[in-house]
Amino acid sequence: MTHTASKERTSLVPKLESSPCLKGERIAFTGILASMTHAQAFELTLQNGGTPSEHVSKQTTMLVVGDEGWPLEDDGQPSVKLQQAERLQATGLEVQVIHESQWLTLLGLTPNEDQQLYTPAMLSSILGISVYVIRGWARAGLIQPVRKVFRLPYFDFREVSSARRLSELLSLGVERKEIEQSLRRLPSVLRGDERPLEQLQILAHRLGVIVRDSIGLKLPKSGQRVFDFEHSEQPVDSCHESKSDLETINLAAFRELRNQPAASDVPAKVDWLVEGCKLYDSGEVNEALEAFRMAAMTTPNNSDVHFQMGECLYRLGNSAAALERYYVSVEQDNEFLEAWTQIGCLHREVNDLEAARMAFLVALDIFPEYPDAHFHLAETLRDLGDIETARQHWQEYLTFDSRGPWADIARQRLK
């Protein structure tokens, strides 16, 4: 056989190719997708051999639930498509109900949450919620960081978007218990049974997202106290009562401190750092500052205490004193990223741009992948006239965030 004949025969053998990963699948989508629009998801389904569908029917083989919050309708009920899929499952039909992230993995794509992790400041800019509220939610356990770097928490966007979705439902007048019952009816959706019900009771209230602390209930955004009729027989003036109690405890603890040796290892009866955070989250900033001062007496080398004092002083309009406390914080912990960033931001506020630049550079020296520092440094360099170096840091920031207001600013600057 000649070489030519052999080549011709080889060309007649069909080339083996792997089947598209969604071949034979009829796929519907419900809820808001975090990674793309529904139209884009339809196109991606077609490209991978599947058939997209607007509705759930007996021919549906897969329902993809969007990762942007829980799949609840505006009346607080599970989405119609999800209810239909579960009814079909009950009849014996094999309808897979999977998360958007699982669907992306099936397509060989990296799930969005692995790429899009957000610092408190980034979430604040995206959601239009104060960074103080974000931190308060984290302290209350309403959102859980998926990662920590040098104390700095990184959050999955779904955590806060879920809370925002619940707040939207409550503002529409949906009762708290109705939302809880709906979430109990989502056994096939991870977001329905992953979050403890006790946590939902904290999130869900007719007035919006609330937090329960040792004093009672409060609205984290405004700090306003809320009467908890389910856990108290008689309504009381919670704010007045908590302030009175604080003053009593404060005086007693201060007297106790005066009677102790300065370097005593005996722990105080009151954890003033925790108490201060509770007051701070409830909007009682002056009282929180006093609690943090008490904490500084018992643990003068605690960088968290000085950082929190700086936060209080800044919110009270005393930027110079706040800056000094942030410096004390980094003296106690040289790698306190958020403190270095606050130092940079405060220097920038008073137009001390060179000091701001150095603070952001220190933060990046500690952790080169810190997005907040890249963004603020780029803005500072722009003000200093170093546009070329600023461009590098805007571009670097965009590798961490592509959807928020800061990302929009970075893209505008690069143009």
Side-chain angles (χ1 to χ4, degrees):
M1 183 182 295
T2 65
H3 178 72
T4 304
S6 174
K7 186 176 180 180
E8 289 175 353
R9 179 169 292 183
T10 302
S11 66
L12 296 177
V13 177
K15 184 179 179 181
L16 295 177
E17 294 183 357
S18 59
S19 300
C21 59
L22 298 181
K23 184 177 181 180
E25 301 283 359
R26 188 175 184 86
I27 304 173
F29 298 85
T30 188
I32 302 173
L33 298 175
S35 61
M36 65 190 75
T37 65
H38 278 224
Q40 291 170 326
F42 274 41
E43 182 63 30
L44 202 54
T45 299
L46 287 169
Q47 291 173 6
N48 286 274
T51 303
S53 174
E54 290 279 1
H55 309 287
V56 172
S57 66
K58 290 182 179 180
Q59 286 72 44
T60 303
T61 61
M62 184 183 297
L63 177 65
V64 178
V65 180
D67 280 348
E68 189 98 348
W70 283 295
L72 300 180
E73 302 288 0
D74 288 344
D75 60 359
Q77 296 299 313
S79 73
V80 173
K81 292 178 184 177
L82 184 58
Q83 293 183 58
Q84 291 172 336
E86 292 183 338
R87 281 197 293 268
L88 291 171
Q89 287 177 333
T91 65
L93 291 176
E94 294 184 1
V95 181
Q96 292 186 72
V97 179
I98 65 174
H99 296 289
E100 176 184 352
S101 55
Q102 294 171 309
W103 180 68
L104 291 172
T105 300
L106 184 63
L107 296 177
L109 302 174
T110 304
N112 194 52
E113 65 265 25
D114 288 345
Q115 297 178 352
Q116 298 284 346
L117 296 181
Y118 300 87
T119 65
M122 292 165 69
L123 276 179
S124 171
S125 71
I126 291 170
L127 297 177
I129 298 172
S130 167
V131 70
Y132 308 117
V133 175
I134 300 294
R135 290 176 184 151
W137 282 355
R139 281 194 288 268
L142 303 183
I143 54 177
Q144 298 289 338
V146 297
R147 157 184 200 207
K148 272 195 172 183
V149 179
F150 299 104
R151 300 171 182 258
L152 178 70
Y154 278 79
F155 297 100
D156 180 339
F157 184 77
R158 293 186 304 168
E159 288 296 305
V160 174
S161 66
S162 294
R164 180 176 62 180
R165 177 57 178 155
L166 282 179
S167 182
E168 290 170 354
L169 291 173
L170 293 162
S171 67
L172 292 172
V174 181
E175 293 293 329
R176 184 197 72 182
K177 290 183 179 178
E178 188 172 347
I179 294 176
E180 292 177 5
Q181 290 171 357
S182 295
L183 292 171
R184 286 195 190 98
R185 292 169 55 193
L186 307 180
S188 59
V189 180
L190 184 61
R191 300 300 291 180
D193 55 15
E194 179 184 62
R195 189 181 297 276
L197 187 59
E198 291 77 13
Q199 192 166 308
L200 292 176
Q201 291 173 345
I202 296 176
L203 277 170
H205 190 279
R206 62 186 177 80
L207 296 177
V209 176
I210 64 171
V211 175
R212 182 189 301 282
D213 59 19
S214 61
I215 300 171
L217 301 179
K218 65 177 180 292
L219 298 170
K221 190 167 185 179
S222 65
Q224 179 183 347
R225 285 286 169 185
V226 179
F227 292 140
D228 186 6
F229 293 109
E230 294 186 8
H231 293 82
S232 176
E233 293 182 0
Q234 295 181 348
V236 295
D237 185 348
S238 301
C239 290
H240 176 76
E241 183 180 61
S242 65
K243 184 176 180 181
S244 176
D245 288 347
L246 176 65
E247 289 170 349
T248 303
I249 297 171
N250 196 337
L251 180 59
F254 184 69
R255 287 172 176 167
E256 182 180 340
L257 283 169
R258 290 182 64 188
N259 295 327
Q260 290 181 10
S264 173
D265 292 328
V266 179
K269 292 181 180 179
V270 178
D271 189 333
W272 287 108
L273 177 58
V274 173
E275 195 68 29
C277 288
K278 290 177 180 177
L279 289 163
Y280 183 85
D281 292 341
S282 69
E284 300 169 74
V285 183
N286 280 300
E287 292 82 354
L289 178 59
E290 292 307 310
F292 292 134
R293 291 192 193 281
M294 294 298 295
M297 293 181 194
T298 57
T299 56
N301 297 326
N302 189 326
S303 59
D304 283 318
V305 170
H306 293 287
F307 179 82
Q308 294 298 341
M309 289 178 69
E311 296 285 89
C312 289
L313 289 163
Y314 180 73
R315 288 187 70 182
L316 291 170
N318 193 342
S319 297
L323 182 60
E324 184 60 31
R325 284 296 170 177
Y326 291 134
Y327 269 118
V328 174
S329 182
V330 297
E331 287 169 6
Q332 304 299 334
D333 180 359
N334 302 149
E335 297 181 335
F336 202 144
L337 283 171
E338 285 192 284
W340 278 115
T341 305
Q342 293 293 75
I343 288 170
C345 288
L346 283 182
H347 277 304
R348 190 160 181 263
E349 279 189 15
V350 297
N351 207 37
D352 189 353
L353 299 180
E354 187 56 36
R357 184 181 74 88
M358 290 305 298
F360 296 135
L361 284 174
V362 170
L364 289 174
D365 188 59
I366 297 168
F367 183 45
E369 297 180 357
Y370 185 20
D372 297 16
H374 280 292
F375 179 81
H376 291 306
L377 178 57
E379 293 291 293
T380 303
L381 290 168
R382 174 177 178 265
D383 293 340
L384 285 168
D386 188 355
I387 302 299
E388 285 307 309
T389 310
R391 288 177 64 85
Q392 298 172 19
H393 291 283
W394 282 317
Q395 289 169 342
E396 187 67 23
Y397 179 79
L398 288 172
T399 65
F400 302 104
D401 176 24
S402 61
R403 66 195 298 175
W406 286 2
D408 293 339
I409 291 172
R411 279 190 287 267
Q412 290 171 7
R413 301 283 197 241
L414 289 170
K415 290 180 180 178

